[in-house]
Short mmCIF file of all heavy atoms in Angstrom, two decimals:
data_model
loop_
_atom_site.label_atom_id
_atom_site.label_comp_id
_atom_site.label_asym_id
_atom_site.label_seq_id
_atom_site.Cartn_x
_atom_site.Cartn_y
_atom_site.Cartn_z
N GLY A 14 111.41 150.42 127.98
CA GLY A 14 112.85 150.17 127.82
C GLY A 14 113.67 151.43 127.98
O GLY A 14 114.71 151.42 128.65
N LEU A 15 113.23 152.53 127.39
CA LEU A 15 113.94 153.80 127.52
C LEU A 15 113.96 154.28 128.97
O LEU A 15 114.98 154.76 129.47
CB LEU A 15 113.30 154.87 126.63
CG LEU A 15 113.42 154.64 125.13
CD1 LEU A 15 112.58 155.67 124.37
CD2 LEU A 15 114.87 154.72 124.70
N ILE A 16 112.83 154.18 129.65
CA ILE A 16 112.75 154.60 131.05
C ILE A 16 113.70 153.77 131.90
O ILE A 16 114.42 154.29 132.75
CB ILE A 16 111.31 154.53 131.58
CG1 ILE A 16 110.44 155.56 130.85
CG2 ILE A 16 111.26 154.73 133.09
CD1 ILE A 16 108.95 155.41 131.09
N LYS A 17 113.71 152.45 131.67
CA LYS A 17 114.60 151.58 132.44
C LYS A 17 116.07 151.94 132.21
O LYS A 17 116.88 151.85 133.13
CB LYS A 17 114.37 150.11 132.08
CG LYS A 17 113.10 149.55 132.70
CD LYS A 17 112.87 148.10 132.35
CE LYS A 17 113.91 147.17 132.88
NZ LYS A 17 113.80 146.81 134.28
N ASP A 18 116.42 152.35 131.00
CA ASP A 18 117.80 152.76 130.70
C ASP A 18 118.16 154.07 131.41
O ASP A 18 119.29 154.27 131.82
CB ASP A 18 118.00 152.93 129.19
CG ASP A 18 118.12 151.59 128.48
OD1 ASP A 18 118.38 150.56 129.14
OD2 ASP A 18 117.96 151.58 127.24
N MET A 19 117.19 154.97 131.54
CA MET A 19 117.46 156.29 132.11
C MET A 19 117.33 156.34 133.63
O MET A 19 117.91 157.20 134.27
CB MET A 19 116.54 157.32 131.47
CG MET A 19 116.83 157.46 129.99
SD MET A 19 115.88 158.63 128.98
CE MET A 19 114.55 159.21 129.91
N VAL A 20 116.54 155.43 134.21
CA VAL A 20 116.29 155.45 135.65
C VAL A 20 116.60 154.07 136.23
O VAL A 20 115.76 153.18 136.19
CB VAL A 20 114.83 155.85 135.96
CG1 VAL A 20 114.62 155.98 137.46
CG2 VAL A 20 114.43 157.14 135.25
N PRO A 21 117.80 153.91 136.76
CA PRO A 21 118.17 152.60 137.31
C PRO A 21 117.19 152.16 138.41
O PRO A 21 116.72 152.97 139.19
CB PRO A 21 119.56 152.84 137.90
CG PRO A 21 120.08 154.04 137.16
CD PRO A 21 118.87 154.87 136.86
N GLY A 22 116.88 150.88 138.40
CA GLY A 22 116.00 150.34 139.43
C GLY A 22 114.53 150.29 139.04
O GLY A 22 113.73 149.65 139.72
N VAL A 23 114.15 150.98 137.95
CA VAL A 23 112.76 150.93 137.51
C VAL A 23 112.44 149.53 137.02
O VAL A 23 113.25 148.88 136.36
CB VAL A 23 112.51 151.96 136.37
CG1 VAL A 23 111.18 151.72 135.69
CG2 VAL A 23 112.56 153.37 136.93
N LYS A 24 111.27 149.06 137.36
CA LYS A 24 110.85 147.72 136.95
C LYS A 24 109.72 147.81 135.93
O LYS A 24 108.82 148.64 136.06
CB LYS A 24 110.39 146.91 138.16
CG LYS A 24 111.51 146.70 139.18
CD LYS A 24 111.20 145.54 140.08
CE LYS A 24 112.28 145.32 141.09
NZ LYS A 24 113.57 145.01 140.57
N SER A 25 109.78 146.95 134.93
CA SER A 25 108.71 146.87 133.93
C SER A 25 107.58 146.01 134.49
O SER A 25 107.81 145.04 135.20
CB SER A 25 109.23 146.30 132.62
OG SER A 25 109.82 145.03 132.82
N VAL A 26 106.34 146.41 134.15
CA VAL A 26 105.15 145.73 134.67
C VAL A 26 104.19 145.47 133.51
O VAL A 26 103.92 146.36 132.71
CB VAL A 26 104.44 146.61 135.72
CG1 VAL A 26 103.19 145.94 136.25
CG2 VAL A 26 105.39 146.99 136.85
N ILE A 27 103.67 144.25 133.45
CA ILE A 27 102.63 143.90 132.47
C ILE A 27 101.88 142.69 133.00
O ILE A 27 102.37 141.97 133.88
CB ILE A 27 103.22 143.66 131.07
CG1 ILE A 27 102.15 143.79 129.99
CG2 ILE A 27 103.95 142.32 131.00
CD1 ILE A 27 102.70 144.00 128.59
N SER A 28 100.71 142.43 132.47
CA SER A 28 99.92 141.32 132.98
C SER A 28 100.50 139.97 132.54
O SER A 28 101.01 139.83 131.44
CB SER A 28 98.46 141.42 132.53
OG SER A 28 98.26 140.84 131.28
N LYS A 29 100.39 139.02 133.44
CA LYS A 29 100.83 137.65 133.17
C LYS A 29 100.07 137.08 131.97
O LYS A 29 100.62 136.35 131.16
CB LYS A 29 100.61 136.79 134.41
CG LYS A 29 101.17 135.41 134.35
CD LYS A 29 100.99 134.70 135.69
CE LYS A 29 101.66 133.35 135.70
NZ LYS A 29 101.50 132.70 137.01
N ALA A 30 98.80 137.44 131.84
CA ALA A 30 97.96 136.93 130.76
C ALA A 30 98.41 137.39 129.38
O ALA A 30 98.01 136.81 128.37
CB ALA A 30 96.50 137.34 130.98
N SER A 31 99.26 138.42 129.31
CA SER A 31 99.74 138.91 128.02
C SER A 31 100.81 137.99 127.43
O SER A 31 101.15 138.11 126.26
CB SER A 31 100.30 140.32 128.16
OG SER A 31 101.54 140.29 128.87
N HIS A 32 101.36 137.10 128.27
CA HIS A 32 102.43 136.19 127.85
C HIS A 32 103.68 136.95 127.40
O HIS A 32 104.40 136.49 126.53
CB HIS A 32 101.95 135.21 126.78
CG HIS A 32 100.75 134.43 127.20
ND1 HIS A 32 100.79 133.46 128.18
CD2 HIS A 32 99.46 134.50 126.79
CE1 HIS A 32 99.59 132.97 128.35
NE2 HIS A 32 98.75 133.58 127.54
N SER A 33 103.88 138.12 127.98
CA SER A 33 105.03 138.96 127.67
C SER A 33 106.09 138.81 128.76
O SER A 33 105.83 138.24 129.81
CB SER A 33 104.60 140.43 127.60
OG SER A 33 103.63 140.60 126.61
N LYS A 34 107.25 139.40 128.50
CA LYS A 34 108.31 139.42 129.49
C LYS A 34 108.31 140.77 130.19
O LYS A 34 108.12 141.80 129.56
CB LYS A 34 109.66 139.18 128.82
CG LYS A 34 109.81 137.80 128.24
CD LYS A 34 111.18 137.61 127.62
CE LYS A 34 111.29 136.22 127.03
NZ LYS A 34 112.57 136.02 126.34
N ALA A 35 108.54 140.75 131.49
CA ALA A 35 108.65 141.97 132.29
C ALA A 35 109.27 141.60 133.63
O ALA A 35 109.36 140.42 133.97
CB ALA A 35 107.28 142.62 132.49
N ASP A 36 109.67 142.61 134.38
CA ASP A 36 110.22 142.36 135.72
C ASP A 36 109.13 141.90 136.68
O ASP A 36 109.39 141.11 137.57
CB ASP A 36 110.86 143.65 136.27
CG ASP A 36 112.04 144.11 135.44
OD1 ASP A 36 112.90 143.26 135.10
OD2 ASP A 36 112.08 145.30 135.10
N LEU A 37 107.93 142.43 136.49
CA LEU A 37 106.82 142.09 137.37
C LEU A 37 105.61 141.72 136.52
O LEU A 37 105.12 142.53 135.73
CB LEU A 37 106.48 143.29 138.28
CG LEU A 37 105.34 143.13 139.27
CD1 LEU A 37 105.61 141.99 140.25
CD2 LEU A 37 105.11 144.43 140.02
N LEU A 38 105.17 140.48 136.66
CA LEU A 38 103.98 140.00 135.96
C LEU A 38 102.81 140.04 136.94
O LEU A 38 102.87 139.41 137.99
CB LEU A 38 104.19 138.59 135.42
CG LEU A 38 105.31 138.47 134.39
CD1 LEU A 38 105.56 137.00 134.03
CD2 LEU A 38 105.01 139.28 133.13
N ILE A 39 101.79 140.79 136.59
CA ILE A 39 100.68 141.02 137.50
C ILE A 39 99.43 140.25 137.08
O ILE A 39 99.30 139.85 135.93
CB ILE A 39 100.36 142.53 137.59
CG1 ILE A 39 100.10 143.08 136.19
CG2 ILE A 39 101.48 143.27 138.31
CD1 ILE A 39 99.56 144.48 136.16
N GLU A 40 98.52 140.09 138.05
CA GLU A 40 97.25 139.40 137.82
C GLU A 40 96.13 140.18 138.50
O GLU A 40 96.38 141.01 139.38
CB GLU A 40 97.30 137.99 138.38
CG GLU A 40 98.35 137.10 137.73
CD GLU A 40 98.35 135.71 138.31
OE1 GLU A 40 98.95 135.52 139.39
OE2 GLU A 40 97.73 134.83 137.70
N ALA A 41 94.91 139.86 138.10
CA ALA A 41 93.74 140.50 138.71
C ALA A 41 93.79 140.36 140.23
O ALA A 41 94.12 139.30 140.75
CB ALA A 41 92.45 139.86 138.19
N GLY A 42 93.52 141.45 140.92
CA GLY A 42 93.51 141.45 142.37
C GLY A 42 94.82 141.89 143.00
O GLY A 42 94.87 142.20 144.18
N ASP A 43 95.90 141.91 142.20
CA ASP A 43 97.19 142.37 142.74
C ASP A 43 97.08 143.85 143.10
O ASP A 43 96.28 144.60 142.53
CB ASP A 43 98.31 142.19 141.72
CG ASP A 43 98.74 140.75 141.55
OD1 ASP A 43 98.32 139.90 142.35
OD2 ASP A 43 99.52 140.48 140.62
N LYS A 44 97.88 144.26 144.07
CA LYS A 44 97.99 145.67 144.44
C LYS A 44 99.41 146.12 144.20
O LYS A 44 100.36 145.44 144.60
CB LYS A 44 97.61 145.88 145.91
CG LYS A 44 96.14 145.71 146.17
CD LYS A 44 95.78 146.06 147.60
CE LYS A 44 94.28 145.90 147.81
NZ LYS A 44 93.91 146.19 149.18
N ILE A 45 99.55 147.26 143.54
CA ILE A 45 100.86 147.84 143.29
C ILE A 45 100.97 149.06 144.19
O ILE A 45 100.20 150.02 144.06
CB ILE A 45 101.03 148.22 141.81
CG1 ILE A 45 100.90 146.95 140.95
CG2 ILE A 45 102.36 148.91 141.58
CD1 ILE A 45 100.81 147.21 139.48
N CYS A 46 101.90 148.99 145.14
CA CYS A 46 102.06 150.06 146.12
C CYS A 46 103.02 151.13 145.63
O CYS A 46 104.08 150.83 145.09
CB CYS A 46 102.54 149.49 147.44
SG CYS A 46 101.30 148.39 148.19
N LEU A 47 102.62 152.37 145.84
CA LEU A 47 103.42 153.54 145.50
C LEU A 47 103.44 154.41 146.76
O LEU A 47 102.59 155.28 146.93
CB LEU A 47 102.80 154.30 144.33
CG LEU A 47 102.49 153.47 143.08
CD1 LEU A 47 101.48 154.16 142.19
CD2 LEU A 47 103.76 153.18 142.33
N GLY A 48 104.37 154.11 147.66
CA GLY A 48 104.34 154.75 148.96
C GLY A 48 103.11 154.29 149.70
O GLY A 48 102.83 153.10 149.79
N SER A 49 102.31 155.25 150.19
CA SER A 49 101.09 154.87 150.91
C SER A 49 99.90 154.68 149.97
O SER A 49 98.83 154.26 150.40
CB SER A 49 100.75 155.94 151.96
OG SER A 49 100.47 157.17 151.32
N LEU A 50 100.09 155.00 148.71
CA LEU A 50 99.02 154.82 147.73
C LEU A 50 99.14 153.45 147.09
O LEU A 50 100.21 152.84 147.08
CB LEU A 50 99.11 155.89 146.64
CG LEU A 50 99.07 157.34 147.12
CD1 LEU A 50 99.22 158.29 145.94
CD2 LEU A 50 97.78 157.62 147.86
N PHE A 51 98.03 152.96 146.53
CA PHE A 51 98.13 151.71 145.78
C PHE A 51 97.17 151.70 144.61
O PHE A 51 96.19 152.44 144.57
CB PHE A 51 97.88 150.49 146.69
CG PHE A 51 96.48 150.33 147.20
CD1 PHE A 51 95.53 149.63 146.47
CD2 PHE A 51 96.11 150.86 148.43
CE1 PHE A 51 94.23 149.48 146.95
CE2 PHE A 51 94.82 150.72 148.91
CZ PHE A 51 93.87 150.02 148.17
#
Side-chain angles (χ1 to χ4, degrees):
L15 293 173
I16 294 169
K17 284 180 65 79
D18 284 342
M19 296 180 350
V20 184
V23 167
K24 298 200 180 299
S25 56
V26 179
I27 200 162
S28 87
K29 188 175 185 179
S31 71
H32 304 291
S33 301
K34 293 181 181 177
D36 297 313
L37 180 60
L38 298 173
I39 55 171
E40 297 180 279
D43 286 350
K44 288 185 179 179
I45 299 170
C46 295
L47 308 160
S49 63
L50 303 178
F51 69 88

